[in-house]
Amino acid sequence: MITPRPGGRTARTQAVVFEAAAALLAEKDPGQLSMTEIAVRAGVAATSLYRRWGDVRTLLMEVAVERLARESPLPDTGALAGDLKAWTAAIAGSLASPGGSAFFRVYVATAPTGSAEMPGRARAIGRRLEQVQAMLDRASARGERAPGVLEVTDHLLAPLYMRALFGVPADPAFAEALVDRLLSQT
Amino acid sequence: MITPRPGGRTARTQAVVFEAAAALLAEKDPGQLSMTEIAVRAGVAATSLYRRWGDVRTLLMEVAVERLARESPLPDTGALAGDLKAWTAAIAGSLASPGGSAFFRVYVATAPTGSAEMPGRARAIGRRLEQVQAMLDRASARGERAPGVLEVTDHLLAPLYMRALFGVPADPAFAEALVDRLLSQT
């Protein structure tokens, strides 16, 4: 008797679905993608996708956060200023690259409109924020003064994203100045 | 001989088009709107709309900025802290209202993807920023220390918009704290 590896099939399905979604994201705007289209590309029943992710926004955000975590692990330079500067420089570079940041495009395309709640999307973003929190906790453990994770999103991520939304390039010097400004207030 | 009022016809056409676009914006997502749909609603040839605005993103941004200027004139309380607090409280309230802020929805839906330039969209936003600049100039003229308009967008607007994108409510106390923090660094 063959015992299936626990979670093996689910994990394989997720890998196939994430790969199909990532390939489609490279081809078109996140706002144009449907569950059905992703299901067809992955060769998986759309009903399975709805059962697992609920809606296409949640799925796309999970895909985007997973890629971000894999392709852009948070830096660990041994000092908070170094970590934050390396991280914001990477974000500024990614936002300025041709095609922009896939994460940013999904983040904007799946933004809540009005008062609609999207717990799945918030959970996916929350996983990235936990990694940011871990970076801040390492600094505190070393005896450094560290800002809260919301101060990081309000005063580092927000200006970089705002400028991307506006179409104003944020150069590395700007990213570095944001870090100095934040740390001077911590 | 009847001499037409200079600009009269153009102004009337613009008013009709803006009204049609605003009505459609109240019904659906800005990303779903096309020039043709707006032209049909306005009873104007789509070719005229393309000639005047170039693309639907520019038109929608002009409509959104015009409504913002009309419905939300920038405050003039006689002191910069008062102006900024009244203004950010209004933005926080608008973002939190059911259906959200029409300007914010258009701003996000027409965000540049990748390296595509959108000079018309930038010009429309630029008109709002000129009003912000005028508010800052009034403060300077009174002898107050005023931040630059980019510091205002980076550290007041960006955190409020970031939280709206994230689905995290920004309450009036948060908006007020952002102003205090900005002015303490000016």
Side-chain angles (χ1 to χ4, degrees), chain B residues 10-87:
Chain B
T10 306
R12 271 198 310 280
T13 302
Q14 170 164 321
V16 168
V17 170
F18 275 28
E19 200 178 318
L24 285 166
L25 274 175
E27 292 166 21
K28 39 163 80 180
D29 199 64
Q32 312 297 324
L33 286 177
S34 69
M35 275 297 212
T36 306
E37 195 171 7
I38 297 168
V40 168
R41 178 73 65 105
V44 171
T47 47
S48 309
L49 269 58
Y50 280 108
R51 201 160 46 230
R52 169 75 177 79
W53 286 283
D55 58 65
V56 69
R57 298 175 153 212
T58 298
L59 169 56
L60 289 178
M61 191 50 88
E62 283 204 14
V63 170
V65 168
E66 191 266 346
R67 295 197 69 185
L68 196 63
R70 189 156 39 87
E71 293 172 5
S72 306
L74 287 164
D76 188 2
T77 64
L80 183 58
D83 284 358
L84 292 174
K85 286 179 182 181
W87 183 43

Side-chain angles (χ1 to χ4, degrees), chain A residues 40-65:
Chain A
V40 168
R41 177 73 65 104
V44 171
T47 47
S48 309
L49 270 58
Y50 280 108
R51 202 161 44 231
R52 170 74 178 78
W53 286 283
D55 58 66
V56 71
R57 297 174 155 214
T58 297
L59 169 55
L60 289 179
M61 191 51 87
E62 283 203 15
V63 170
V65 168

Side-chain angles (χ1 to χ4, degrees), chain A residues 1 166 180-181:
Chain A
M1 194 181 115
F166 192 86
D180 288 334
R181 184 180 178 120

Side-chain angles (χ1 to χ4, degrees), chain A residues 18-32:
Chain A
F18 275 27
E19 200 178 316
L24 285 166
L25 274 176
E27 292 167 21
K28 39 164 78 181
D29 199 66
Q32 312 298 322

